Amino acid sequence: MEKVKKFKELCSEMEQRKKNLDEELREYIQKVNHICDLGGFVSYEDKIIDPSNSISDELKREYEYLFSQIHKHIRSQTQWIDEINQAYKEAQDEILECVQQKTQSQDVANHIQQIMGRIVQVNRLAAIEYGEQFIANI
């Protein structure tokens, strides 16, 4: 079950991506707080506003570049989320096709789809693993 395997690999990668993103966001917050401590603030567009002119231009450039890189990375995660959503759908379809082939019953496949639909509301990986376990028990 190739598509199921791909989805599980993406789930593992998702954990690492989440850790990396959390670390980037912590760094972002730390830098923003530093700017505030220096008497400035960060605009919605990630530009440093320094009303008292107390922040060096070099620090502004460094932080603004860092902020832009973090935002770029966050935007790329959106594309990746679309990819994992598609991988889930393909894995689910693969499981349902396998269930129908093994049981020769559309009703059983529909029942498994309903159960997976309930499980997926809490955890996509658990839903796929449920489908895999059902197939293993046929």
Side-chain angles (χ1 to χ4, degrees), residues 51-103:
S52 60
N53 229 9
S54 60
I55 304 169
S56 73
D57 289 340
E58 182 181 331
L59 185 63
K60 286 180 191 178
R61 280 191 300 275
E62 177 187 336
Y63 280 16
E64 287 176 351
Y65 177 76
L66 176 70
F67 296 159
S68 72
Q69 292 304 107
I70 291 172
H71 272 214
K72 185 177 177 182
H73 187 239
I74 290 170
R75 282 189 296 277
S76 75
Q77 297 307 306
T78 303
Q79 294 169 341
W80 190 83
I81 290 169
D82 291 344
E83 181 182 339
I84 198 168
N85 287 340
Q86 182 62 32
Y88 172 79
K89 183 184 178 328
E90 291 173 4
Q92 181 186 33
D93 290 348
E94 184 176 53
I95 286 171
L96 296 175
E97 183 179 316
C98 187
V99 167
Q100 187 171 0
Q101 287 175 357
K102 285 189 170 197
T103 64

Side-chain angles (χ1 to χ4, degrees), residues 21-59:
L21 190 57
D22 287 347
E23 183 59 37
E24 287 181 348
L25 291 174
R26 271 192 292 278
E27 182 178 11
Y28 180 89
I29 290 167
Q30 178 187 26
K31 301 297 185 195
V32 168
N33 287 336
H34 184 233
I35 294 299
C36 290
D37 291 344
L38 295 174
F41 60 93
V42 179
S43 74
Y44 177 75
E45 297 86 18
D46 289 324
K47 298 295 180 197
I48 295 174
I49 310 299
D50 183 19
S52 60
N53 229 9
S54 60
I55 304 169
S56 73
D57 289 340
E58 182 181 331
L59 185 63

